């Protein structure tokens, strides 16, 4: 497996990884969005009882667990984008351009507050 | 804003974008994981009533909406990793190395099936 | 449709509602958990940028929207439990008994904090 | 603690349970929606790799785990509704009345398919 240095090499490494384990047959978009949302919620779990302040100063062990969950979200997102033939960087670039029009600066709050 | 070509330039572009709108004050890790999970669920919503087969052949309009949601997940993930000082590519590389040990090939199914 | 006064009459009303629309064919447990998690995230969306304090004092319009999302979660939860033949009240009673042993009072915080 | 037989007695039992553990101070709406969505995702996790057919025939051990997660969702939903002063049954009744107008029978599919 080549070194993972960006989203393209991550995608390539994941293709190899899944091929070796015959996991592609589970990787329908439907299943991958489920897995992605589960990993996103595992991130939420780390912060659900924390105050906003506490959420900003993680202990080293917790921080390592959070890094693992960030990795899981990125992995499933990369696999989902791959099976759909979508380039996530191109999609993000287009979305930011749209947001720049939708929310001209200065603009706050981002959404109607509670 | 410089061109977005990878996760580092995406992170830099988002820093500028949020600074111009004074959005950083909302971007505690707690709030960002919530926003991330909401966007992940908007992806799920596109596939909730689809059969696995249908989920693999999206109509162009739906595909564009899905690309937008993939972008949103990547954007919030990048912002979350940034406020926590975590490099998502380094985290993904470490996670894949761990998974390679946890699931030696051939290995399936990935998890106990229902 | 009879009056909905508790979870049993809610379940019965939903059976009739779905039968009239031929929706049961979409109601596999897999699809229903997806729909449930999407509705839970729509609840999260209402609170993602709010401070904990703000989350406790909703404006009337927002409060009505939140009530609608609570309803959606309860509806899909009831439908999921129904297709699985699980009684949610019996399940909750058993879970609280388990939690009473797992977390003998006084016990806090509920989970390791960030 | 009185016997739990419906949503009102469940709510009352949870009030006592949380008071004994001093957990109410964690139970802002913001925190409770996070906990609710995490439990909803734990339900999703049980079904993420299953085919729709497999999701309908759970083994007894898996079924018990799913019942536990259904309980957790119902518990957090009840606590959330309680702190917001919302009656979930009243909300569900109102939502079904709205849906009956929005989706007159026969009406399918429930949403535009993928």
């Amino acid at each position: 497996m080549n070194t993972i240095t960006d989203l393209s090499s991550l995608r390539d490494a994941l293709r190899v990884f899944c091929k070796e384990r015959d996991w592609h047959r589970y990787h329908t978009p439907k299943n991958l969005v489920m897995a992605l949302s589960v990993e996103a919620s595992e991130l939420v779990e780390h912060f659900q009882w924390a105050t906003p302040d506490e959420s900003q100063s993680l202990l080293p062990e917790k921080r390592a667990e959070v890094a693992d969950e960030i990795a899981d979200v990125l992995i499933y997102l990369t696999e989902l984008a791959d099976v759909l033939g979508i380039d996530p960087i191109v999609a993000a670039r287009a979305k930011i351009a749209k947001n720049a029009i939708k929310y001209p600066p200065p603009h706050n709050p981002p959404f109607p507050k509670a």
Side-chain angles (χ1 to χ4, degrees), chain A:
Chain A
M1 200 181 286
N2 290 323
T3 310
I4 296 166
T5 55
D6 58 14
L7 285 186
S8 302
S9 51
L10 173 59
R11 179 203 59 206
D12 292 345
L14 290 168
R15 284 181 185 170
V16 172
F17 192 94
C18 292
K19 190 158 186 288
E20 288 172 349
R21 286 155 186 82
D22 195 15
W23 282 359
H24 283 297
R25 61 193 164 131
Y26 299 113
H27 285 190
T28 61
K30 186 176 176 92
N31 288 2
L32 286 170
V33 292
M34 294 175 82
L36 174 66
S37 76
V38 167
E39 296 303 333
S41 285
E42 293 185 2
L43 268 171
V44 173
E45 193 173 7
H46 283 290
F47 296 99
Q48 64 189 354
W49 306 120
T51 64
D53 276 356
E54 287 169 341
S55 83
Q56 276 169 321
S57 52
L58 302 181
L59 296 175
E61 191 188 351
K62 169 77 89 175
R63 201 169 168 284
E65 289 170 17
V66 167
D68 256 23
E69 304 296 356
I70 285 176
D72 283 332
V73 172
L74 187 61
I75 286 168
Y76 281 124
L77 188 68
T78 302
E79 292 178 340
L80 174 67
D82 194 21
V83 299
L84 292 171
I86 289 168
D87 182 323
I89 290 291
V90 171
R93 200 191 295 148
K95 191 64 195 284
I96 290 174
K98 269 204 258 187
N99 283 347
I101 294 164
K102 190 173 172 188
Y103 306 107
H107 183 98
N108 51 69
F111 295 101
K113 300 297 290 298

